[in-house]
Structures are given as structure tokens and as C-alpha cells.
Amino acid sequence: MASCIQPRLPYTSPRAGSDTNVPKGVTRFRSGNEAEYVGETSSRLALVLAAAGQLEEARALADEARAVTPTDCVVVRAVATMAAARSLPADEVEASLAMAAAAVNLVPDPMPNLKADLLIEHSRVQAAARLAEDARASIARAISLYESKGNVAAL
């Protein structure tokens, strides 16, 4: 069975224009003895980079995460799929919406916090596509999931 860890999605966006030196850090990480976590780390970094508007770098990391993550590791696969959706260019709205919905649907129901985290990310894709009502519905569903789990910190 694949080693799967449940990632927490970033709740804060990096400062605009900040120099994170991500490629150098990822290169060191890949050469270390923790290479099994490349998919999880790459997907998290891709979400942060997408939020910062660095779509090309985000897409490269999301693609890598999807390529190296074992198929039975649905948690990391879902986050990597969402990272790929968030990193698509603005003219690929339909593909981005489809990938974001697929990422949410990958998460099993017994994982309400992760599903809620991905619904928040999905709402960002919907908002970028000018689907305000759908984005609000995703946020409402996420809040309901957080509340069902008693996760008041996420609210």
C-alpha cells in the first residue's frame, strides 16, 4: 500500500511579489531521502504558487505531483488534481472547473475536513470563472462539513 499522508491546504496566500526560491528548495527536497513525499509537497507548493499567480510553476509542480502519486493514494491525488485545476490559464475555464469538481469527488465522505478544504479551493475556481452563486454554494457546503466535524478553527 502506498504511503499516503493527509495534507492540509494553505489558508494564507503568499505576499505578492515575494521571492520564495521554490525551484532550489524543491531540487534539494527531491534529492533527499524523503522522495516518497514529493507528490504531497509538490501539490501543496502548486496551490501556493497558483494563489500567487505563478501559474506556470504551479502547473509544473501539479503535473509532477499527479505523475508520482500512486493511484491508491486518493488524498494526495485529490490535492494534486485541485492544484492542477487552480494552475490552468484563464482561457481554460471549463477544464479547470471539471478538474476542481473531480478533485472534490475523489475525497471519501469520511474525510469531511479535506473535502471542505477542497470545496474552498473549488469556490476559488468558480469565482475566477465568474460563477459567484456556485462559489457561494461551495463555501456553504464547506462550512457545513467543517461544522459537522466540529472544526470551528477552519470557519
Side-chain angles (χ1 to χ4, degrees):
M1 177 142 208
S3 172
C4 295
I5 50 181
Q6 182 168 346
R8 293 297 303 167
L9 301 179
Y11 288 104
T12 58
S13 296
R15 290 184 316 249
S18 65
D19 180 14
T20 58
N21 209 6
V22 172
K24 189 181 292 181
V26 171
T27 301
R28 278 196 300 268
F29 176 77
R30 285 185 189 127
S31 64
N33 61 358
E34 293 132 359
E36 66 186 81
Y37 299 108
V38 168
E40 189 266 340
T41 301
S42 294
S43 59
R44 281 194 201 189
L45 285 172
L47 283 170
V48 171
L49 288 168
Q54 298 177 19
L55 299 183
E56 287 182 29
E57 284 185 81
R59 182 60 187 212
L61 285 171
D63 288 346
E64 177 179 20
R66 291 172 52 177
V68 301
T69 301
T71 56
D72 61 342
C73 188
V74 295
V75 171
V76 177
R77 187 158 296 286
V79 177
T81 301
M82 184 60 74
R86 293 281 320 274
S87 67
L88 287 175
D91 63 345
E92 294 186 37
V93 173
E94 293 301 320
S96 184
L97 289 167
M99 289 176 81
V104 172
N105 290 331
L106 278 172
V107 180
D109 289 334
M111 299 177 134
N113 281 329
L114 178 60
K115 190 173 281 270
D117 290 347
L118 289 175
L119 280 165
I120 297 298
E121 294 295 329
H122 190 191
S123 75
R124 292 178 175 138
V125 172
Q126 292 165 323
R130 301 187 193 287
L131 300 171
E133 288 300 316
D134 291 341
R136 281 192 277 279
S138 291
I139 290 171
R141 187 171 164 214
I143 289 170
S144 176
L145 288 170
Y146 287 136
E147 288 173 339
S148 75
K149 184 70 176 178
N151 187 350
V152 295
L155 299 174

